[in-house]
Amino acid sequence: MLLETHRAEIETILSRYDSRRSAVLPLLYLAQDIYGHLTEAAIREVAAILDLPPTDVFEVVGFYTLFYNRPVGTWVLQVCDDVPCCYLGAEELIAALKQSLGIAEEQTTGDGMFTLQRVKCLAACDRAPVLQANLDYVYDVTPERVNALLANLRARAAEARQRGVSGRFAEDFEWGPDGALVPIDRAAPYRPRHFPAAPSPAPPEPEPVPEADAGHDRPADRKASPL
Amino acid sequence: MGLSEHIVMRELDVPEINDFEVYCRHGGWEAYRMALKEKNPADIVAMVKESGLRGRGGAGFPTGVKWGFLPKGVYPRYLLCNCDESEPGTFNNHQIIDRNPHQLIEGVALSAYAIECHTAYIYMRGEFAAAAITLERAIAAAYRAGFLGRNILGTGFDLDIYVHRGAGAYICGEETALMESLEGKIGQPRLKPPFPAVAGLYGKPTIINNVETLANVPRIVEKGVAWYRSHGTEKSPGTKCFSLSGHVNRPGNYELPFGVPLRELIESPEYGGGMRGGRPTKIIIPGGASAPWLTHEHLDVPLDYESVAAAGSMLGSGAVIVLDDTVKAPHVAYKMDEFFKHESCGKCTPCREGTHWLVRVLHRIAEEGHAVPEDIPTLHSIYNQMAGNCFCLLGESAVMPIKSALALFPEEFEAIVAASRRHPHGNGHGDGRHEPVIPLTTKR
C-alpha cells in the first residue's frame, strides 16, 4: 500500500498544491513505478488517497500517454517518428529495433525486457534519431548503435539500475568518443551537431509513391493543372 | 549578424553556468536581489512592458501587457511557466533548462514578484523527466541561498516554485488545458473568456508564460530596457532562440537577434551550415508544425514576427524545420497531420473528426500511393470545415500542413492520382476497394 510504504513522498507531493486533486499525475507516476503498471487496484488506491471518484482517475490514466494500464517491459523504448526525425533515420531505427528485438510496435519481448512504441515529437529534433528508454533520453541513435544501446539497457537492468518506467530518476545519455553511452554533460557549452558533407538520408516510404511517367501526364504548370 | 553576448543561451559565453555558484558570480540573482530591495512590483511590470518583450511560446503577445490584465487587488495569484514543449521542431526550452536552469528560475521568481504572486509552477512535459530533476536541484539551491521561501532577503516577500510534470499530451501546452492538467484533470481547453489573467488556476488570476520568455526577464531587469531594445527590431526587440532542424548540416539552437534573414540561419557556416549534401531546399516551416509552409522563394524573409507574417506564415515558436527535395509534400502533410490527430484532445468535433479524416485520406495517398480524383477536393473540404471552427488552436494548426501542401505542391497529389488511375486496384489492400471517402458537404 502506497500510503504505508511512501507516506513521506506522498505528503511532500500533496504539500505543493492548494487542491489535492492536482497531485493525481505525480501520484500515478509513483504508483506506476511501484506496481510496474497501473493496475485497476493501483488506480483505485490513488483515487482513495486523493478522495476522488475512481472514474476521474481512470479518465486521467486513459488520456495521458505516459500512463500504462497494461504490463510493459522493464524498459519502454519510445522512438520519435515525427517530422523531422522520420526523415533523419527514425524509420531505419525502428526497423533495426524491431529486427533486433523480434517484436512489432506496441509489443513486449518474451523475456519482458523491452516494450517498443512509436511516439510523437520528443523535443530533441537536433539530435535525431532520438528515443527515450523509460524517459531517459538517448540522442543520435543510428541503427548501428542499436545493439550497443540494448546491451547497455540489459546490463543496467541486470545491475538493478533501472528505476521505474515513470522517469522519477531519469538521466539523459549521449554517445561518448569510444562509442559507449555516457550521461550528457550539462556543464559543457551547447554545441550544435555537425554533419560534414553528409548526404541527405533517403525518404522513408517503404514502397515509393508511383510516379507519373515523366514528361507525359505530369502537369508542367501547377496553375494550368486540371483539377 | 551574430551576438556579442547571449541573452538566454549564456552557456556559450560563460562555461559551467549551470552551476549555481558560477551563475551567481556572473551576475546571477543580482537583478532579483536589487528588484526586491529597490523596486516596486509595478516598476518591474513597467520595465518588461517598455522592453517590448513578446511571448516566445508562439503567439508573440507582449508579456508586460499580459501581466497588466491581472485584476487589481484580487489574490492569490498564480504564475505558471509553460514548459510543455512538444511541437515538432521545437527544442529550445529543453536546452535552456539543461544548460542554464538558474536563469529560468530567477526569471520565474522576478516575474512572480512583479505580479505579486507567491506560488509558481513550472509545468514540464512528462518526457522532460531528467530536465525536471535538473530544475528541482536548481530550485533547491535557490531555496538554500535564501532567494525562495519565506520573508525573502528580509523584504517580507514569500515565494514557492514547484516543478509539475505532465504525462504526455501536447494539448497541455495550450494555456487553459495546462491549467486543467495542473488541476489534475484531463487536458482539455477551457472556453475563453474568462481569460486566465482573470480566472485561471483554481479560478484565481493566473499568468502563463513560456520558458524562453521568462528566461529573458532577469537580463532585462539587470541591464535595462535600452540595452535590451538595442537587440532585434523595433517591434520585435531582443533575441530569439531559433531551433533549426531537418536536412541542414548543423541542426541546433541558435540565439540570434530578431530580423536575421532565414537564408543566414540556414546557410551561414556559423549556424545551419547549408543543406546536407548541397541539396535544394524544398519546404521551410518557420514556426513549428502549426506554421504555414514557406519555400526557397522566401529565403530572404527576415525572421521577426511581422516579416514572417507578411510572407504568409508565422514565426510562432521559432522552430525552423528545413526539408530538402528528398521529401514528398503529401508525406510531410501526412506526418504533420498525424501528429495533430494523435494529440487532438477530442473535445470539439471539427478537430477530432477533421484530423481523423485528413489522416485517413492522407495515409492512403502518402503511404500507400493510391489516390482517387475526389481526394483532392475532399482534402480541401475537410480543412475548410475545420478552419475557424475548432475550439482551440490545435485544430486550427492542423489545417496548415495540408493546406500548404495542396497550395504549394498540387502536382504531387495529382501525380499520385494519375498513377493510381493506371493501377486501379492498387489501393494497398489488393481487394479493389477504396478506403472510404467522406461525402462532400461544400462545393468547391
Side-chain angles (χ1 to χ4, degrees):
Chain A
M1 289 278 113
L2 294 174
L3 264 185
E4 280 117 59
T5 55
H6 292 76
R7 179 172 283 278
E9 186 168 352
I10 292 171
E11 301 278 340
T12 307
I13 291 169
L14 288 171
S15 73
R16 297 175 191 157
Y17 306 104
D18 293 340
S19 150
R20 284 174 82 80
R21 183 171 179 159
S22 286
V24 69
L25 299 187
L27 288 195
L28 284 171
Y29 276 137
L30 176 67
Q32 180 161 269
D33 274 353
I34 304 307
Y35 298 118
H37 71 282
L38 290 170
T39 59
E40 185 180 332
I43 296 170
R44 289 183 186 280
E45 194 183 341
V46 169
I49 293 170
L50 295 174
D51 211 9
L52 284 174
T55 317
D56 289 354
V57 186
F58 279 100
E59 181 188 46
V60 166
V61 172
F63 185 83
Y64 295 95
T65 59
L66 296 182
F67 294 131
Y68 313 117
N69 56 9
R70 58 199 169 97
V72 288
T74 303
W75 292 102
V76 181
L77 303 179
Q78 299 181 311
V79 186
C80 172
D81 75 343
D82 243 316
V83 179
C85 279
C86 71
Y87 299 124
L88 294 161
E91 293 297 331
E92 291 81 350
L93 169 60
I94 292 167
L97 283 167
K98 282 158 80 168
Q99 192 178 10
S100 288
L101 298 173
I103 53 172
E105 293 97 330
E106 297 300 328
Q107 291 182 348
T108 301
T109 51
D111 60 358
M113 184 61 71
F114 297 107
T115 297
L116 179 62
Q117 292 185 327
R118 285 171 181 266
V119 293
K120 293 297 151 195
C121 186
L122 290 176
C125 318
D126 55 336
R127 308 305 296 268
V130 64
L131 61 73
Q132 290 197 308
N134 291 0
L135 305 184
D136 292 1
Y137 273 98
V138 188
Y139 297 132
D140 314 323
V141 194
T142 51
E144 310 81 68
R145 286 169 165 163
V146 160
N147 287 335
L149 169 71
L150 297 179
N152 173 287
L153 296 176
R154 282 199 183 94
R156 281 160 72 193
E159 296 161 20
R161 286 194 286 139
Q162 182 275 68
R163 292 177 292 177
V165 294
S166 302
R168 286 157 61 238
F169 308 97
E171 193 167 7
D172 298 341
F173 292 90
E174 59 192 353
W175 300 89
D178 58 350
L181 276 176
V182 292
I184 68 161
D185 180 5
R186 291 187 165 81
Y190 174 78
R191 291 274 177 261
R193 280 169 94 193
H194 194 187
F195 299 96
S200 173
E205 290 107 304
E207 290 165 53
V209 174
E211 288 287 345
D213 293 343
H216 287 286
D217 45 3
R218 181 193 285 267
D221 176 359
R222 70 173 65 126
K223 290 201 179 64
S225 64
L227 225 181
Chain B
M1 190 155 60
L3 280 176
S4 57
E5 183 191 10
H6 293 82
I7 296 178
V8 173
M9 290 171 54
R10 290 176 69 194
E11 70 274 17
L12 295 176
D13 305 321
V14 184
E16 298 184 34
I17 198 164
N18 71 329
D19 182 273
F20 184 79
E21 301 298 328
V22 175
Y23 180 66
C24 290
R25 274 207 302 279
H26 286 84
W29 290 101
E30 278 309 310
Y32 178 72
R33 190 194 301 269
M34 182 275 292
L36 255 60
K37 300 217 161 169
E38 298 169 20
K39 304 257 187 207
N40 293 319
D43 300 335
I44 308 294
V45 176
M47 271 186 108
V48 171
K49 215 178 258 180
E50 284 162 26
S51 75
L53 174 66
R54 297 174 65 165
R56 302 289 196 252
F61 193 81
T63 305
V65 176
K66 190 191 245 188
W67 292 0
F69 290 155
L70 286 167
K72 287 195 172 37
V74 185
Y75 302 93
R77 296 166 169 181
Y78 293 101
L79 174 65
L80 309 181
C81 173
N82 187 345
C83 184
D84 193 59
E85 180 171 63
S86 313
E87 184 159 311
T90 59
F91 49 89
N92 70 31
N93 292 183
H94 193 180
Q95 184 198 322
I96 290 168
I97 290 170
D98 268 357
R99 309 281 165 149
N100 190 3
H102 307 292
Q103 188 166 319
L104 171 64
I105 296 161
E106 187 183 0
V108 171
L110 260 171
S111 306
Y113 175 70
I115 65 169
E116 300 173 75
C117 113
H118 304 291
T119 312
Y121 295 97
I122 302 175
Y123 185 102
M124 308 187 70
R125 67 177 297 185
E127 290 84 349
F128 283 174
I133 295 168
T134 303
L135 210 45
E136 274 173 347
R137 286 192 186 128
I139 290 171
Y143 271 101
R144 282 196 299 274
F147 297 135
L148 300 175
R150 304 277 87 76
N151 188 22
I152 297 166
L153 306 173
T155 61
F157 177 60
D158 300 339
L159 176 63
D160 289 305
I161 301 179
Y162 303 109
V163 173
H164 183 89
R165 266 176 69 208
Y170 164 69
I171 185 61
C172 293
E174 199 280 340
E175 58 181 9
T176 59
L178 187 153
M179 297 186 303
E180 288 285 298
S181 179
L182 186 47
E183 290 181 7
K185 302 168 192 163
I186 62 172
Q188 291 189 325
R190 298 177 183 169
L191 191 63
K192 292 189 277 194
F195 288 93
V198 176
L201 184 66
Y202 310 131
K204 307 292 183 202
T206 301
I207 291 293
I208 304 176
N209 288 128
N210 168 267
V211 167
E212 191 187 344
T213 313
L214 292 174
N216 272 278
V217 173
R219 306 306 303 282
I220 293 172
V221 174
E222 177 194 347
K223 299 216 159 200
V225 170
W227 173 84
Y228 190 77
R229 291 199 77 110
S230 70
H231 301 83
T233 67
E234 174 64 26
K235 287 186 175 166
S236 303
T239 60
K240 178 82 193 78
C241 295
F242 291 101
S243 300
L244 180 65
S245 65
H247 293 132
V248 289
N249 280 317
R250 287 163 50 88
N253 284 312
Y254 298 100
E255 184 176 4
L256 298 170
F258 281 105
V260 167
L262 193 47
R263 185 190 301 280
E264 188 172 338
L265 176 67
I266 295 172
E267 294 179 1
S268 161
E270 274 180 82
Y271 313 129
M275 300 296 286
R276 291 174 73 174
R279 297 193 75 99
T281 309
K282 179 168 176 177
I283 297 169
I284 304 169
I285 310 172
S290 43
W293 299 357
L294 301 176
T295 65
H296 64 278
E297 291 167 22
H298 300 99
L299 279 170
D300 293 314
V301 170
L303 289 166
D304 58 65
Y305 293 107
E306 290 72 26
S307 307
V308 178
S313 185
M314 60 175 216
L315 190 65
S317 54
V320 181
I321 306 175
V322 187
L323 301 173
D324 68 19
D325 64 346
T326 59
V327 303
K328 294 197 161 51
H331 193 265
V332 180
Y334 159 64
K335 291 300 292 189
M336 286 294 198
D337 277 323
E338 197 199 20
F339 168 80
F340 288 112
K341 172 194 168 230
H342 185 266
E343 300 299 342
S344 175
C345 78
K347 178 163 180 153
C348 77
T349 310
C351 175
R352 183 185 65 241
E353 298 297 316
T355 55
H356 171 86
W357 283 101
L358 280 178
V359 168
R360 195 147 174 180
V361 176
L362 280 169
H363 181 270
R364 175 164 46 73
I365 296 176
E367 287 277 343
E368 297 171 23
H370 189 79
V372 293
E374 303 93 297
D375 284 339
I376 294 174
T378 300
L379 288 168
H380 280 292
S381 167
I382 299 170
Y383 78 67
N384 275 323
Q385 292 176 72
M386 295 167 69
N389 293 326
C390 295
F391 190 86
C392 81
L393 283 176
L394 189 147
E396 303 293 331
S397 301
V399 169
M400 298 311 167
I402 181 58
K403 189 176 177 181
S404 298
L406 284 166
L408 296 170
F409 304 99
E411 70 279 5
E412 295 192 21
F413 290 87
E414 284 150 16
I416 299 172
V417 171
S420 306
R421 233 183 235 134
R422 287 193 302 279
H423 307 282
H425 301 298
N427 66 352
H429 297 292
D431 57 3
R433 283 186 302 109
H434 296 316
E435 282 283 293
V437 174
I438 56 168
L440 294 181
T441 56
T442 53
K443 195 90 181 150
R444 287 183 56 82

